[in-house]
Structure formats: structure tokens, C-alpha cells
Amino acid sequence: MSESQATFQNAFYIGNNFNAILYGVELVLYFMTVRAMFNPKHRQMHSRGSDKFFVFFSTALLCLNTIFVATEAVFGQEMWVVHADYPGGQDAYLDDFAAVWYQTLGTAASIVLNLLSDGLLIYRCWIIWDDIRVVMFPIVLYLGTFSVGIVQLYESGRPNANYFAGLAKQLGISYTSCVISLNLIVSGLIFGRILYLIRRVAHIVGVDREYTTAAAILVESAALYSLTGIAYLVSFAIESQTSIFFLSVYVMMTCIAPQMIILRVVVGRAWTRERSAMTSTNLEFTKSAQNATETRLEFGADESNAVKHSGFVTTQQSDSSTVDVVEAV
């Protein structure tokens, strides 16, 4: 086994272990979300339509993530245990079976997982900004990402193809670049909008702390999703053998990040369109009140100066009259 392939094999093994750990985190978040939805207090305050949507959406995320974790684990077992004596070793097995059907299934699951997560992020961006114009470009980029993902899936799933070599690799770089660019744009829009509202309004009218903590902003903007994507894109583009590890973590965050957003929505701690609109309205009302106060103060100051000036003139006129009378006498 060459040194580079040894690094790849070790990164693949460590990535599978991280998959198992992070899958446990996803299960906890999923069941916390379902439990919160079936809370009687929650069911009185929220519509059942949105609950059904989030249940199906969360379940779809979990199922797709399960497919990815399972296919990676099975491929590792086949390569290291079942076919440990494969002619040429693990490197030869990897080259010959990288496009096996269940690996293609795992790749397809990760692409659909990306599409669902990015769709939720665009929706959340629209909710927080409350302006469809803001998300027009991300929507166009989203459609382009979908097209490139389908082509990349087809190319990497062909017989004797390899996700990390040839045309499949080039398409993979293009697809990942589109996905990460979309993540960064949408996450940046969400992060910037929340930060703007906090800085412009919190010190004037106040915003609940549960909406303004660093952790809340990171969750709302899906920052972990974007950051792990950048790490994977860089390692994949420079042909680092550790890219398989960052891919594993990135796909897991593709599921965990939106699940954390859904959990915040369900428990009533996420930014909503009403809260964003109310915050903006409070900001405009506060500005109007401040302008009105400044106008009243300026008017009062001008009126006071006028009164003082008028009294001064009268006194002068009175003094002048007195002088004139005295002089006449």
C-alpha cells in the first residue's frame, strides 16, 4: 500500500467512526424535534400543517443520512474485513469497486440531502429577510447545483468509475463549488441580517437573548454546514488524501445543521417572519420617535430664544423711552 493510499484508508476509517458519532447526535436531535411536536402545549400554539411538514422533512433527512452512513460502513467492512485478502490489497479493491451500486446509492443520498438542506436554508433566508428579491440569485444557483449534481452522480456511478478520479472528480469539484458557494451566500445573508437587526434594534427596544446569542446565530445561519463544506472543498481540490474524512463530516453536517434549525423552529426559538417584521417596525418607529423628539426640542429651543430675544428688545425699547423722557424733561 502506497503512503498516499495509506493516508486515504486511514482517513476513510476515521471518517466512518465520526459518521457513527455524529449519527448519534442526529438521532438525538430528531427525537427531540418529534417530542417537542407532540407536546400538548406546542400543539395548541402551532398549526398542524407546519408540524406535518417538519415531521416528514426531518424523517427524510434522517433516512437519507442513514443510507449514507450505512453504505460507507458496508463498503469499509467489505474492503477491510470480508475481502481483506483481495488480490492487490485494499487499494486494488477500492479501485475496482468504488462504483459499486450501494456506493452510488450513498452518493445519491448525499446529493438529495444537499438539495433538501439548501432548500430549507433558502426558505429560512426568505423568512428572515421577508423579501423575495434577496433569494432570487440563490434560487438560480440552487437549480444549477441540481443539474450539476445529477451529471456528477451519473458519471461517478458508471462501471469502473471512481468518485475521486477522472471526469467524475472534475464534476465533483464543480458540484461541490456550486454547493459551497450557495451555502456561503445564503448563510452570509442570514448571518448579516440577524446581526444587523441585533445591532440596530437590541440596544433600543431589546430582543430576547435566546435570539441573539452566538450559538443561536451560528445555528440559524447553518455556519457549521458551510465551514465543513469549505474544509472538504479545499482538501478535495488540492487532491489531499484526507478529503474523504472531510466529506464524511460535511455530509453529516448537511443533515445535522438543518435539523437544529427545525428544532429551534418547533420549540419557538427561531427567527420568524413576524419577529423580523416586528423588529424592523420597532426600528422605524423608534427612529420616527427620535426624530419627533429632536424636532420638538429644536422647536422648543427656537421658541425660548425668540421669547428671550423679544424680552431683550422690549427692555431696550423701554429703556430708550425712559431716556428720551428724561432728556425731554
Side-chain angles (χ1 to χ4, degrees):
M1 182 183 299
S2 64
E3 182 179 355
S4 60
Q5 286 295 325
T7 302
F8 182 90
Q9 296 282 349
N10 280 277
F12 190 19
Y13 176 78
I14 296 173
N16 281 354
N17 282 277
F18 268 79
N19 286 346
I21 296 171
L22 295 176
Y23 185 73
V25 174
E26 164 60 19
L27 284 177
V28 172
L29 292 173
Y30 174 79
F31 285 111
M32 286 177 65
T33 302
V34 174
R35 179 184 178 185
M37 288 181 184
F38 286 97
N39 189 325
K41 184 178 179 181
H42 167 82
R43 301 184 71 175
Q44 293 176 358
M45 298 175 60
H46 296 78
S47 64
R48 294 185 177 181
S50 63
D51 285 351
K52 290 181 180 178
F53 170 77
F54 284 127
V55 166
F56 285 119
F57 192 90
S58 298
T59 303
L61 291 179
L62 179 62
C63 291
L64 291 169
N65 191 240
T66 301
I67 292 173
F68 173 79
V69 172
T71 54
E72 293 295 292
V74 169
F75 188 77
Q77 181 186 16
E78 291 288 323
M79 180 170 56
W80 297 316
V81 180
V82 178
H83 299 285
D85 56 350
Y86 188 81
Q90 285 80 20
D91 292 348
Y93 184 88
L94 178 64
D95 293 335
D96 294 340
F97 293 95
V100 68
W101 69 268
Y102 55 84
Q103 277 291 84
T104 303
L105 177 63
T107 303
S110 66
I111 291 177
V112 177
L113 194 57
N114 269 126
L115 294 173
L116 291 180
S117 301
D118 291 340
L120 179 66
L121 275 183
I122 293 174
Y123 170 75
R124 291 293 302 163
C125 184
W126 173 60
I127 288 294
I128 293 174
W129 276 87
D130 197 21
D131 190 347
I132 190 64
R133 295 171 298 179
V134 175
V135 296
M136 290 303 296
F137 178 71
I139 291 175
V140 173
L141 190 56
Y142 177 82
L143 296 176
T145 299
F146 174 76
S147 302
V148 177
I150 295 299
V151 177
Q152 192 265 345
L153 177 63
Y154 169 77
E155 184 61 31
S156 62
R158 295 175 59 188
N160 299 321
N162 190 336
Y163 184 90
F164 295 95
L167 181 59
K169 177 182 177 180
Q170 300 302 320
L171 289 171
I173 294 176
S174 300
Y175 168 73
T176 307
S177 300
C178 291
V179 171
I180 302 305
S181 299
L182 179 60
N183 296 160
L184 290 175
I185 292 172
V186 178
S187 296
L189 287 171
I190 295 174
F191 183 86
R193 179 63 173 174
I194 294 177
L195 202 61
Y196 169 80
L197 293 175
I198 292 174
R199 289 188 174 183
R200 296 297 299 273
V201 180
H203 68 285
I204 301 175
V205 297
V207 180
D208 294 341
R209 181 172 176 79
E210 61 187 12
Y211 298 96
T212 60
T213 61
I217 297 175
L218 290 176
V219 171
E220 289 281 357
S221 61
L224 292 177
Y225 178 29
S226 299
L227 293 176
T228 54
I230 293 174
Y232 166 59
L233 177 61
V234 172
S235 62
F236 189 45
I238 64 176
E239 301 183 358
S240 172
Q241 296 299 318
T242 60
S243 60
I244 186 64
F245 166 75
F246 292 108
L247 173 62
S248 297
V249 177
Y250 171 62
V251 174
M252 297 306 297
M253 286 302 161
T254 305
C255 182
I256 291 175
Q259 191 63 59
M260 288 193 293
I261 294 176
I262 293 174
L263 179 59
R264 284 183 60 84
V265 172
V266 170
V267 299
R269 295 181 180 178
W271 282 83
T272 62
R273 186 183 306 162
E274 292 76 14
R275 175 165 292 278
S276 298
M278 180 182 64
T279 305
S280 300
T281 302
N282 288 338
L283 176 60
E284 293 175 1
F285 175 79
T286 303
K287 288 181 177 179
S288 299
Q290 288 178 339
N291 292 335
T293 302
E294 292 175 359
T295 302
R296 287 197 298 270
L297 290 174
E298 291 176 0
F299 178 77
D302 293 341
E303 188 178 36
S304 176
N305 291 334
V307 171
K308 290 180 180 179
H309 181 68
S310 176
F312 176 73
V313 172
T314 303
T315 304
Q316 282 186 329
Q317 291 177 348
S318 178
D319 292 343
S320 299
S321 300
T322 304
V323 172
D324 292 339
V325 170
V326 172
E327 290 178 352
V329 173

